[in-house]
């Protein structure tokens, strides 16, 4: 990867403290961050905005991370989605990736790993574009 990329990010997380922590950290990294408190709000925000990456929690009421990713895939096939889940390490070890998910990261996630996962996803998008 080249230099750190900055992007328009959508962060979907139902835990207020976690949501604020991640959003604040990502803003300090130079990203523009829109937050949503659950999958349905995340879908509405996605449809209303322009993003380069969606970061979503897995377990949320209403619409979970996998369901949100599937809907985003239908709306915008090249959109990268980073899934945060307590089962991330297990999924990565098994090479499991739900449909519509590009990068899986374990929770709780350290800010260093969050930064790396975001950069990985942003660079992946750049490489996939014609």
């Amino acid at each position: 990867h080249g230099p750190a990329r900055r992007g328009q990010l959508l962060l979907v997380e139902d835990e207020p403290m976690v949501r604020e922590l991640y959003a604040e950290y990502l803003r300090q990294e130079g990203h523009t961050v829109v937050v949503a408190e659950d999958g349905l709000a995340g879908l509405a925000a996605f449809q209303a905005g322009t993003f380069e990456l969606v970061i979503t929690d897995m377990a949320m009421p209403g619409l979970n991370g996998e369901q949100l990713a599937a809907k985003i895939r239908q709306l915008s096939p090249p959109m990268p989605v980073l899934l945060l889940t307590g089962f991330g390490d297990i999924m990565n070890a098994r090479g499991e990736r739900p449909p519509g998910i590009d990068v899986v990261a374990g929770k709780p996630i350290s800010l260093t790993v969050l930064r790396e996962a975001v950069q990985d996803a942003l660079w992946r998008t750049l490489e996939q574009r014609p």
Side-chain angles (χ1 to χ4, degrees):
H1 295 333
R5 295 196 59 221
R6 311 263 181 282
Q8 288 269 107
L9 313 181
L10 173 58
L11 172 64
V12 188
E13 165 64 66
D14 62 329
E15 291 281 335
M17 284 175 61
V18 175
R19 185 171 63 237
E20 285 312 305
L21 175 70
Y22 293 173
E24 184 54 35
Y25 175 74
L26 291 165
R27 287 181 184 122
Q28 286 173 2
E29 289 280 297
H31 301 290
T32 303
V33 184
V34 171
V35 294
E37 69 276 4
D38 60 35
L40 291 171
L43 184 61
F46 182 79
Q47 290 171 307
T50 305
F51 300 98
E52 289 161 280
L53 171 64
V54 176
I55 303 169
T56 181
D57 185 29
M58 176 60 165
M60 296 183 294
L63 203 61
N64 72 27
E66 268 187 66
Q67 293 165 326
L68 176 62
K71 291 191 179 299
I72 285 171
R73 252 312 167 266
Q74 290 169 352
L75 295 166
S76 174
M79 180 61 53
V81 178
L82 164 56
L83 180 71
L84 302 176
T85 168
F87 300 105
D89 296 342
I90 298 166
M91 291 169 77
N92 281 327
R94 291 183 184 158
E96 288 175 15
R97 193 137 297 137
I101 304 290
D102 297 281
V103 180
V104 174
K107 279 181 85 176
I109 190 169
S110 75
L111 297 179
T112 308
V113 174
L114 180 60
R115 176 197 297 129
E116 287 168 6
V118 166
Q119 289 303 318
D120 182 31
L122 286 172
W123 277 104
R124 198 173 288 213
T125 326
L126 202 63
E127 288 157 9
Q128 285 172 356
R129 290 199 174 131

